[in-house]
Amino acid sequence: MTSHVKNTLVTTAAIAGALAATTLFNTTTVKADTTSSAPVTTTTSATKDTAIASAQAKVNSASAAVVSAQAAYGSASTAASDAAAKTAAASASAAATSSAVANAQAAADSASAVKSTADANLASAQATAAETSRAQSVTSAAVVSAQSAVASASTKASDADSAVAYAEAGQTVTANLMRSDDPTKQSGAAGFFAKQVTIKQDGSDYLITLTLSSGNGFIKSMTLNGEQPTTTTANGDTGTYTYKVSAAVLAKGSATLAFALQTPMGAMNQTALLDIDTTIFNGLLADKSDADAALTSAQAALSTAKTKAAKVAQVASSAASAATAAATVASDAAVVATSAATNLTSAQAANSTAQAALTSAQVAQAAADATLATAKANLDSANAALTSAQAELKSAQNIVVVTPASSASSSASSATSSATNSASSAASSASSTDSSAASSASSTASSAGSAASSATNSAASTATATSNVASSALTTTVTSAVVATPATTKKATSSTPASSTTAKTLPQTGNENQSALVALGLAILTLGIYPMMKRKHA
């Protein structure tokens, strides 16, 4: 089979299928009302078109509103998400700065406590240092005073020593001879002795020299406390006798003088008490003793003062060193406390800024959330409006229009012509394809033939029903496959109530021209498919 013939067959099959489809889809089946007394309403094609156009306009408007609402919702959602992220970041920053403030506060409190302790220690150390310094001053003054006392006592002792030494070198004192049996009465020998005696130190003892002013020739011997004189001198009737006595005897101030005499009246032995007035001398000794004792005491006091002063000076030095160390610690603690206080102030400022930023972010987030909620509500409203408009459009599209038979025939012819032209175009396009496209077209034509055969019967039934309705001048009920709002659908009252039982299908009698076209299409389709199938299986 040539390509031209094949294309012709394909075209013919497509036309036949189109005619069948046109016959099928431009025929409306009318169902009988199942209710016994439901009113009916007549709706024209123009009314349906108007309803569809109005509903479509609402759908378009609602769709545009949905798109706009979706855009607003998307923008608001992004803004809300950004605001939430900023709030989370601000919250984290505020938490971090709050933690920093707590840490800085703890550090500042600790540094302040350390500083307070250091200041207290410094005050105590300074008080101790001041006290020991005063004590050191006192002890130093005591040492100076003791030194002065020692110097004074030393001077007095030296003077006393000089006085005693001078006296002991040859001190002249008064001496009296008293009766040994009555010390209150002067001895008879007193007239022979001078009133003055000389006392001179001799080591630890003293030498007493007595002078006889007369009667020296009568004296054979003369002892003092039983001791012979150490030296004697004679000068005619006068002479001197020197005796060694102890300090105790001298301090006593008296001694026994025994005489062995040879007088004109014969030999005789007499005794007398030598009463020596050592008041002046003994006073010098007492002064010397007191001066020596004062010097010894002053020297001891000086030694004690020096020892105490040395100890106090050591304590004062330690206290001064402790005060210096405490001052260093206090100074360091003050620096740390100042730094901690500065850090705390800085942390508090940063926290205030972070808290303000958090508050601002929360306000912005609240505003963004409110905007998002409004956008969501608007979007929901737009979606609801779109759903309602789509339901209205679907309801309008599903309106079933019943027209007179002649009008139906005319519409079917018009649809057939249109389908024929479309099929011709498809055939022309198919002519440029390969054998595989031809096979596909044949298959399509075969399916269309089957559909056309089924549609012929349906069209016949529809045409017959339409003719019956038109001839009886009855108004049929307009029904909808999908009704959006059944409650609002109005029906006019029919002159003839519908049967209470389900209506049966009308007889299969319809337009003869439509049947002929269907038959012609099937015949042509058969002629076109058979050679193609034969070629395919060759």
Side-chain angles (χ1 to χ4, degrees):
M1 182 181 292
T2 65
S3 175
H4 177 71
V5 174
K6 178 174 67 174
N7 291 338
T8 301
L9 290 175
V10 171
T11 302
T12 303
I15 292 171
L19 288 172
T22 301
T23 302
L24 174 64
F25 295 113
N26 281 279
T27 303
T28 304
T29 301
V30 179
K31 296 181 180 179
D33 197 341
T34 59
T35 58
S36 60
S37 62
V40 296
T41 301
T42 302
T43 301
T44 64
S45 177
T47 302
K48 176 179 180 179
D49 292 342
T50 300
I52 290 175
S54 175
Q56 185 64 55
K58 292 180 180 180
V59 168
N60 293 341
S61 177
S63 296
V66 168
V67 171
S68 177
Q70 285 177 335
Y73 178 77
S75 177
S77 178
T78 300
S81 178
D82 291 342
K86 290 179 180 179
T87 299
S91 178
S93 177
T97 54
S98 295
S99 177
V101 167
N103 293 335
Q105 184 66 62
D109 292 342
S110 177
S112 179
V114 171
K115 181 180 181 300
S116 296
T117 301
D119 289 342
N121 292 337
L122 174 60
S124 177
Q126 288 176 335
T128 300
E131 182 179 355
T132 55
S133 178
R134 287 191 297 270
Q136 184 179 14
S137 298
V138 171
T139 54
S140 296
V143 169
V144 172
S145 178
Q147 287 174 338
S148 177
V150 167
S152 177
S154 178
T155 300
K156 290 180 178 180
S158 178
D159 292 343
D161 288 341
S162 298
V164 170
Y166 174 77
E168 291 176 345
Q171 181 70 31
T172 300
V173 299
T174 301
N176 293 310
L177 287 175
M178 307 300 291
R179 292 175 60 171
S180 58
D181 58 348
D182 188 0
T184 62
K185 294 179 179 181
Q186 191 174 27
S187 174
F192 296 96
F193 288 90
K195 296 294 185 181
Q196 302 293 324
V197 296
T198 301
I199 301 175
K200 181 180 179 181
Q201 189 175 11
D202 182 21
S204 60
D205 297 327
Y206 292 90
L207 297 175
I208 297 177
T209 301
L210 302 177
T211 303
L212 284 171
S213 58
S214 63
N216 187 43
F218 297 104
I219 297 176
K220 291 183 175 182
S221 66
M222 186 171 57
T223 62
L224 184 65
N225 286 339
E227 296 293 332
Q228 295 293 328
T230 57
T231 61
T232 61
T233 63
N235 186 17
D237 199 32
T238 63
T240 60
Y241 295 83
T242 301
Y243 300 92
K244 179 180 289 189
V245 298
S246 66
V249 172
L250 184 64
K252 186 179 178 181
S254 64
T256 300
L257 188 64
F259 304 98
L261 300 175
Q262 182 64 45
T263 67
M265 293 178 295
M268 64 179 60
N269 294 313
Q270 292 182 350
T271 60
L273 292 177
L274 179 63
D275 188 3
I276 304 172
D277 186 5
T278 58
T279 303
I280 298 176
F281 186 76
N282 290 336
L284 294 176
L285 291 176
D287 291 342
K288 179 180 183 303
S289 177
D290 292 342
D292 289 341
L295 176 59
T296 300
S297 178
Q299 289 172 337
L302 176 60
S303 177
T304 301
K306 286 182 177 180
T307 301
K308 185 177 181 180
K311 290 182 179 179
V312 171
Q314 184 176 2
V315 173
S317 177
S318 298
S321 297
T324 300
T328 300
V329 173
S331 177
D332 293 342
V335 171
V336 173
T338 300
S339 177
T342 300
N343 292 339
L344 175 59
T345 301
S346 178
Q348 288 172 334
N351 186 45
S352 296
T353 301
Q355 293 295 340
L358 175 58
T359 300
S360 177
Q362 289 172 336
V363 171
Q365 183 180 358
D369 290 342
T371 301
L372 178 61
T374 301
K376 180 64 169 61
N378 292 339
L379 177 58
D380 291 342
S381 178
N383 281 325
L386 176 60
T387 300
S388 177
Q390 288 173 337
E392 184 177 348
L393 175 60
K394 188 173 183 179
S395 177
Q397 290 173 337
N398 288 331
I399 291 175
V400 176
V401 179
V402 176
T403 60
S406 60
S407 298
S409 177
S410 177
S411 297
S413 297
S414 178
T416 301
S417 176
S418 177
T420 302
N421 292 334
S422 297
S424 298
S425 298
S428 298
S429 177
S431 66
S432 62
T433 60
D434 56 9
S435 60
S436 176
S439 298
S440 177
S442 297
S443 177
T444 302
S446 177
S447 298
S450 298
S453 176
S454 175
T456 301
N457 295 329
S458 177
S461 299
T462 302
T464 301
T466 303
S467 177
N468 292 335
V469 171
S471 62
S472 62
L474 297 176
T475 302
T476 60
T477 301
V478 179
T479 63
S480 173
V482 179
V483 180
T485 54
T488 61
T489 303
K490 297 181 180 179
K491 296 183 179 181
T493 303
S494 174
S495 60
T496 304
S499 174
S500 60
T501 61
T502 303
K504 297 182 180 180
T505 306
L506 295 175
Q508 298 295 323
T509 59
N511 190 289
E512 290 80 357
N513 292 332
Q514 292 177 351
S515 300
L517 288 174
V518 171
L520 178 61
L522 292 174
I524 296 173
L525 179 63
T526 303
L527 292 175
I529 292 174
Y530 177 75
M532 292 174 63
M533 294 298 292
K534 183 177 181 181
R535 183 175 180 274
K536 180 178 180 181
H537 294 286

